[in-house]
Amino acid sequence: MNNAQKFYINGEWVEPIGRRTLDVIDPATEQPFATIAMGTVADAERAVAAARSAFASFSETSKTERLELLNRILVILKRRNDEIGDIISKEMGAPVCMARSQQAGIGLSHFAETIKAMEAFEFDYMQGTTQIVHEPVGVVGMITPWNWPINQIACKVAPALATGCTMVLKPSEIAPLNAILFAEILHEAGVPKGVFNLVNGDGPTVGTVLASHPDIDMVSFTGSTRAGISVAQAAAPTVKRVHQELGGKSPNIVLRSADMETAVSAGVRRCVDNSGQSCNAPTRLLVPMERMDEAIGIARRTADAITVGAPADPATDIGPVVNQPQFEKIQELIGKGIVEGAELVAGGPGRPAHLNAGYYVRPTVFARVTSDMTIAREEIFGPVLAILGYESEDDAIAIANDTPYGLAAYIQGDLAEARALSRKLRAGIVRINNSAWDGAAPFGGYKQSGNGREYGKFGLHEFTEIKGVVGYADNEAIS
């Protein structure tokens, strides 16, 4: 990759100011396969200056001009989709087929949904004699994670471009190469100089600059709650807008009206998808207490049938987790589940027996878990499911809401029952009966899962300021 040790600033691939580099590790082999440059404070400030300079002109472009730009980007994203998927698979371990169709494919969906939402979006309208105007929020600092990298890049960059913002992106240094491909696509599409800038680096260096810089008007962050708190603290002195999508510990309530086989097996698979590395994964499965044994049997069979293996193998269901620290954290939490008395139903410590290298984790299910156990409270971010029992629907709601997080929740069973219960769950998105992903639905969390919403028209609102021009229309008749 020609640009791996460069940054994209002011419409050009430029040499970094510092000399620090970092190896990118293939989690399937534990070996480096690329090297990137790591940005300094000076690199980040250079990118912020470019974005600030470009804002004056790009913020005044027309809706038509920006729609044409988004459509050009979408065309090139489609052409390079498999290339993006392949590099994501290499960086963070997702199976190749899944990386192409879901990891890279969701980036396409976000641009398509943003275009659709933008076509219907009213940037200005009249409210009596007052004009209401949606204007770009300004220069945006974007800090994105490694687990769904293009997903989180696209759902920030697309609405920022749509609303006339300029930006500096710091992708995760763990999975940075897909962002370099993305920058190449934006360059080919003709994004004006300085509108989009990319600087690789770590959070304490580049991330802190973006969060604290007085010329950054908004910081949009996706990552852990711990890191999100640091971003908010760094942003506070400049009173910039802070948008955060953080951690989760999502409940999946199986109602008595549900088909247990369908609900539990789907719940296990959805939990371990992407090797469990999804902030909205349904990691707490709530089942009626009297059907716990039945649920355990289904969960065991489902987990044991999941194939863990090399990302390039078409038979693989889940690949490795992203790196050694993540592997070790998951192993520690599996150990805590055992020590604290949860019933180990499937999986457990260590790699699958047929794999002697790579950060592979056995799909693990614990049952008879209680809400005070560590595995029921902490975000594990691995293929580990906790099954909890409930006595009544009120009990299920209380257990589901007994968490500092509130990103997502799931309900399986009778539709009318599920609709009623959805209003009682303190979560930003509720999915009923294994519903398909909706790229136009608002995405974001309650409580310590963050603030603000992404996707579709909700993303457009996040990247705008609202201005009221009072007396814009002739009000003589009124006065």
Side-chain angles (χ1 to χ4, degrees), residues 23-67:
D23 287 337
V24 182
I25 306 298
D26 180 344
T29 65
E30 305 180 37
Q31 299 301 312
F33 72 97
T35 302
I36 62 165
M38 293 288 280
T40 63
V41 170
D43 290 306
E45 289 180 338
R46 179 168 52 159
V48 172
R52 174 54 62 191
S53 178
F55 179 70
S57 58
F58 190 66
S59 63
E60 293 183 357
T61 54
S62 68
K63 176 179 177 178
T64 299
E65 289 174 304
R66 298 196 300 275
L67 271 171

Side-chain angles (χ1 to χ4, degrees), residues 90-271:
K90 192 81 169 174
E91 291 176 300
M92 54 78 63
V96 170
C97 291
M98 179 266 194
R100 291 179 174 183
S101 63
Q102 296 181 47
Q103 287 277 4
I106 283 179
L108 291 173
S109 297
H110 282 307
F111 271 85
E113 288 290 349
T114 299
I115 289 167
K116 184 178 177 181
M118 187 183 177
E119 288 171 340
F121 195 81
E122 292 186 81
F123 283 91
D124 56 84
Y125 59 90
M126 294 305 299
Q127 180 178 282
T129 61
T130 296
Q131 184 190 44
I132 307 299
V133 184
H134 289 269
E135 296 182 339
V137 71
V139 179
V140 183
M142 300 174 175
I143 304 171
T144 57
W146 50 262
N147 61 319
W148 287 89
I150 284 293
N151 170 64
Q152 288 305 133
I153 291 171
C155 75
K156 298 180 192 302
V157 172
L161 291 173
T163 54
C165 296
T166 60
M167 64 215 74
V168 180
L169 169 67
K170 189 208 85 66
S172 169
E173 66 274 26
I174 296 171
L177 302 178
N178 65 91
I180 294 172
L181 294 182
F182 183 81
E184 292 175 358
I185 288 167
L186 266 58
H187 181 82
E188 182 181 347
V191 173
K193 290 184 176 183
V195 170
F196 172 85
N197 303 273
L198 167 69
V199 178
N200 279 311
D202 57 31
T205 306
V206 177
T208 298
V209 171
L210 299 186
S212 62
H213 203 292
D215 281 339
I216 293 283
D217 301 294
M218 170 183 173
V219 58
S220 182
F221 172 82
T222 300
S224 70
T225 297
R226 175 192 53 77
I229 292 169
S230 296
V231 167
Q233 290 171 334
T238 51
V239 199
K240 58 171 56 70
R241 183 179 300 181
V242 179
H243 169 263
Q244 298 175 317
E245 191 265 286
L246 308 174
K249 194 69 182 176
S250 301
N252 186 1
I253 301 174
V254 179
L255 299 173
R256 288 180 169 88
S257 56
D259 179 273
M260 188 66 67
E261 181 74 35
T262 300
V264 172
S265 60
V268 173
R269 288 192 297 270
R270 194 181 283 267
C271 173

Side-chain angles (χ1 to χ4, degrees), residues 244-321:
Q244 298 175 317
E245 191 265 286
L246 308 174
K249 194 69 182 176
S250 301
N252 186 1
I253 301 174
V254 179
L255 299 173
R256 288 180 169 88
S257 56
D259 179 273
M260 188 66 67
E261 181 74 35
T262 300
V264 172
S265 60
V268 173
R269 288 192 297 270
R270 194 181 283 267
C271 173
V272 305
D273 183 48
N274 202 40
S275 298
Q277 299 170 128
S278 299
C279 51
N280 61 340
T283 53
R284 292 184 296 146
L285 186 68
L286 279 59
V287 302
M289 194 72 78
E290 72 275 11
R291 301 187 71 178
M292 175 65 74
D293 289 342
E294 181 184 0
I296 287 172
I298 297 166
R300 179 184 290 114
R301 291 195 303 273
T302 304
D304 288 346
I306 292 168
T307 301
V308 183
D313 187 343
T316 292
D317 294 316
I318 64 172
V321 297

Side-chain angles (χ1 to χ4, degrees), residues 331-342:
Q331 296 302 315
E332 179 184 353
L333 287 166
I334 290 173
K336 283 188 177 181
I338 294 170
V339 169
E340 292 179 8

